[in-house]
Every structure is written in C-alpha cells, then in structure tokens.
Amino acid sequence: AVWSGFTALCGMANSFLTLVLFRLGVGVGEAGLSPPAHSLISDYFEPRKRASALSIYSFGIPLGTMFGAVAGGWIAQNVSWRAAFVIVGLPGILVALAIKLFIKEPPRGYSDMAPADTPILEGEETVPATPAAPAKPPSILAVAKRIFGKWGFFHMVAGITVASFASYGTGQYQAPYFIRMFGLDLATVGLIFGVIGGVAAGAGTLLGGFLTDWAGKRSGRWYALVPAMGLLIACPLYILVYLQDDWRIAAGLLLLPGIFHYTYLGPTFGVIQNAVSLRMRATATALLFFVLNLIALGFGPPFCGWCIDMLSQNLFAGQNLGDFFALCPGGVGAAGAGPVVDAACKLAVAEGTRQGIILNLLIYAWAGVHYLLAAITLPKDMATALASAAED
C-alpha cells in the first residue's frame, strides 16, 4: 500500500524536493515486500520447488514492467506524465487489500516438514507439527555469514549483483537510446520495451526457475549453470540489438536475449532461501536486496550514464566545435549555438548512448563467470546448508 500510494503521489509532485521525497517513499514501500514474500513462499514450497515458485513470484517484475511501459508510455504521451504515475500506482492499493483478505499464512517451516507434493492448508488436521522455533531470531551477522561465507553462495550473490548492475544501468538508457537514435516517441518506445521486452523477460524468468528445479534433481550445480549459460548467451545477443541501424530489426531481436537473461532470478532466490534456516529467510532476502540496491541500483545507472557522457564527449570533440558539456546541455545544442552544433550534439549523444550501453552489456559476461564459479562447490554447500537448517 505504501509502495503504490507513493507511486501515485509522484504524479502530484510540484518540485524536485517533493519528487525526491515521494520516490523515497516508493523505495521504503518496495523494500517491505520481497523479504516476507520470499519467506512466505518458502513456507509453502519445499526446497526442490522453490526456484520454480520464486520464479513465478519474480514474473511480476517483467509483467509490471510490461504494464508500466505500455500503459505509462501511452498515458505520458497522450495525457501527461503525472497521470501516468497516478493511474499506474493506485491499482496496487487494491492488490494490497486483496493480499490482506485472501492470502493464508501456513505454519512456519511447513514445507520443510511436509512430504513432497503434500497439499497445503487443506485442513487443520492435515498440517504436521511446526518445528520448534528458536527463542530469539538469529542476528543479521549470523545470516550474513551463512549466505556470504561459502564459495558457492557468495558467487551466486555476486552473480545476481553484477547482472543487476548491468541491467539497471543499461535499462535506464534503453528508451532514451531508441528516442535519440531513431526519433521514436514515448508511446512507441513503451510498446517496444513493454510487449517485446516484457514477454521475453517473463518467459526467461519462468524458464530459469522451472528448468533449474528439473535439472537440479540430477545435480545441484544446475542452479548455477543455468544462470551462467543464460547470461553468457544473452550478452552477445543484446550487443547485436544495439548494432542495428533499423529500429524494427532491433526491436524484433530484443525477443532473444531476454529469454536467456532473466534465467538467473528464480535459481538465485531459491538457493538463498535453501541456504538458511526458516527463521533466517526474510533477513537473508533483505540482505540480498540491500546489496543489490546499494551496488546495482545505486551505482549501475550512474556508471552507465558516465560512460555515455564520456563517449559522447569524445565523439563531439572530434568535430572541433568546442566544449561538449557547455554546448550540448541535455544532449541538444545550447540556445543560440546554431543548427550545426545542435545536429552535432544529437549525433554525438545518440552514438555515445549506443557505445555506452554496449560497453555496459559486457558486464553480463562477468556475471556469468561468477555463476560458473559458484557451480564448483554449490552441491556441497547446499547439502551443508540444508543440514545446518535442519539442526537450527
């Protein structure tokens, strides 16, 4: 409710300060969802099904992105950006009410006690006894040692962090790239990234969870190998998209990398939940998202933007027209600079955005290497963690 309410309030901001404060409210609200949600889902589903279950939960990311991009882009183009925030934000409050009214919470650790494929919450008499919970919840330090202290888990966290760094960075500038390079409007760009990108990302998210749970029956290494292969395949496919000179071809090619890219979400979330005891699960997700937000969301977009600025500056400097930052504020020619400078600014920024995005896309390969490293010890680490969780 807080998340959605502050999203709607962003449309009513009347200054930079109020918009910042409302965005802070969005962040606070968003932070309250995934930690308890991951823990709740892990109570519903046994360890060998958690990657699939959490991939379905994570499917909300591309689904929401698709709705927000298509609806938000059209509303911003045809009504106003303020209306887009309000219309996209308010329905979430209804979802919050539905969660309060209809979501049933199972006993803590239910799926860890129940045999495979046992229905959940069919009746009070069918629910096995909940394992005794410790008197005090474990400390944040204890949870951090569990998920960062083993080679396999550390590299799973590093993999999702590095992949998210690239994703947040390039994602911030994908729409501006299509606008700058091809002159598209907001509604068209929203349609491209909403429908094409959303469908591909959604398919990849679900595929990653179900494929790893299926392959994981043979070896726990697949919880790292599937994300590794997905990211290593997605990297060159994404680069191919940004080498195209026709936006229609580029948009069509976007279907391919997204299918492979997002295969890491479900497996990583599943492994982290299986790495800790039931009283650690929400805190483990909170720590994971703290690292993600601090490093990936905090530094990914600024780094990609800095790369684009530097590359655009170098491209503009080759034309000997003067200082890029003085003559090209916002990527267009300064007032009174003339049409030649304006055209040079736009060309430099469009090509600089292309090169900056491609440079940052290479980071996906780095993330893939982390998942390959995780596969070395992951089966042993998971077995040890499950034994420790049972003792806890």
Side-chain angles (χ1 to χ4, degrees):
V2 171
W3 184 359
S4 302
F6 274 103
T7 299
L9 283 173
C10 286
M12 302 177 187
N14 55 14
S15 69
F16 178 80
L17 177 60
T18 54
L19 183 58
V20 167
L21 293 175
F22 290 153
R23 289 293 297 166
L24 287 172
V26 171
V28 170
E30 182 177 356
L33 178 63
S34 284
H38 282 209
S39 181
L40 178 67
I41 291 168
S42 295
D43 279 341
Y44 269 102
F45 296 93
E46 63 189 276
R48 68 178 186 177
K49 294 181 179 179
R50 282 176 190 155
S52 301
L54 289 166
S55 72
I56 295 174
Y57 170 77
S58 301
F59 180 68
I61 299 172
L63 191 65
T65 301
M66 181 168 63
F67 173 76
V70 176
W74 186 90
I75 296 167
Q77 181 76 26
N78 294 280
V79 186
S80 72
W81 65 268
R82 294 181 180 276
F85 272 116
V86 174
I87 294 172
V88 170
L90 287 179
I93 296 176
L94 298 178
V95 175
L97 290 172
I99 290 174
K100 175 65 176 174
L101 293 173
F102 300 113
I103 296 294
K104 297 180 179 179
E105 186 164 348
R108 293 309 314 272
Y110 177 76
S111 66
D112 300 275
M113 298 289 290
D117 302 318
T118 298
I120 289 185
L121 295 178
E122 286 197 346
E124 288 295 328
E125 68 279 3
T126 65
V127 178
T130 307
K136 286 176 55 180
S139 67
I140 293 178
L141 181 60
V143 179
K145 287 181 179 179
R146 185 71 67 87
I147 61 175
F148 298 127
K150 291 191 178 296
W151 174 278
F153 300 149
F154 171 81
H155 283 287
M156 292 290 286
V157 173
I160 193 173
T161 302
V162 173
S164 298
F165 183 96
S167 186
Y168 283 128
T170 58
Q172 191 77 19
Y173 297 98
Q174 286 174 334
Y177 166 76
F178 274 77
I179 293 170
R180 293 167 181 174
M181 183 61 73
F182 304 114
L184 303 181
D185 57 40
L186 287 172
T188 303
V189 171
L191 196 64
I192 290 171
F193 287 99
V195 176
I196 298 176
V199 168
T205 300
L206 295 175
L207 176 66
F210 284 91
L211 182 59
T212 48
D213 274 341
W214 173 77
K217 296 174 184 177
R218 293 158 178 79
S219 171
R221 296 187 200 281
W222 286 104
Y223 283 87
L225 291 176
V226 168
M229 291 187 292
L231 288 164
L232 291 172
I233 293 171
C235 179
L237 290 177
Y238 269 129
I239 292 174
L240 184 62
V241 170
Y242 291 94
L243 292 176
Q244 304 306 309
D245 294 322
D246 187 320
W247 71 267
R248 297 168 187 84
I249 298 175
L253 288 173
L254 272 174
L255 278 170
L256 298 175
I259 295 174
F260 297 97
H261 172 192
Y262 290 97
T263 53
Y264 67 84
L265 289 176
T268 306
F269 294 151
V271 165
I272 294 302
Q273 288 296 292
N274 290 341
V276 298
S277 62
L278 66 94
R279 290 297 298 272
M280 294 180 173
R281 287 173 183 163
T283 305
T285 299
L287 279 172
L288 174 62
F289 276 75
F290 175 78
V291 172
L292 282 179
N293 287 324
L294 188 66
I295 297 176
L297 184 57
F299 294 98
F303 177 74
C304 188
W306 177 81
C307 291
I308 291 171
D309 277 346
M310 294 301 102
L311 291 165
S312 299
Q313 181 186 31
N314 289 337
L315 290 165
F316 186 81
Q319 302 179 65
N320 297 314
L321 294 173
D323 180 65
F324 170 75
F325 293 106
L327 293 174
C328 305
V332 297
V340 173
V341 172
D342 183 60
C345 290
K346 291 178 179 177
L347 180 63
V349 170
E351 185 58 34
T353 304
R354 184 209 298 263
Q355 294 180 12
I357 288 176
I358 289 175
L359 181 65
N360 278 260
L361 288 171
L362 294 171
I363 297 174
Y364 284 129
W366 175 11
V369 171
H370 277 295
Y371 280 106
L372 288 176
L373 292 172
I376 297 173
T377 64
L378 194 58
K380 178 183 176 182
D381 293 339
M382 290 177 68
T384 303
L386 287 172
S388 299
E391 292 175 3
D392 291 342

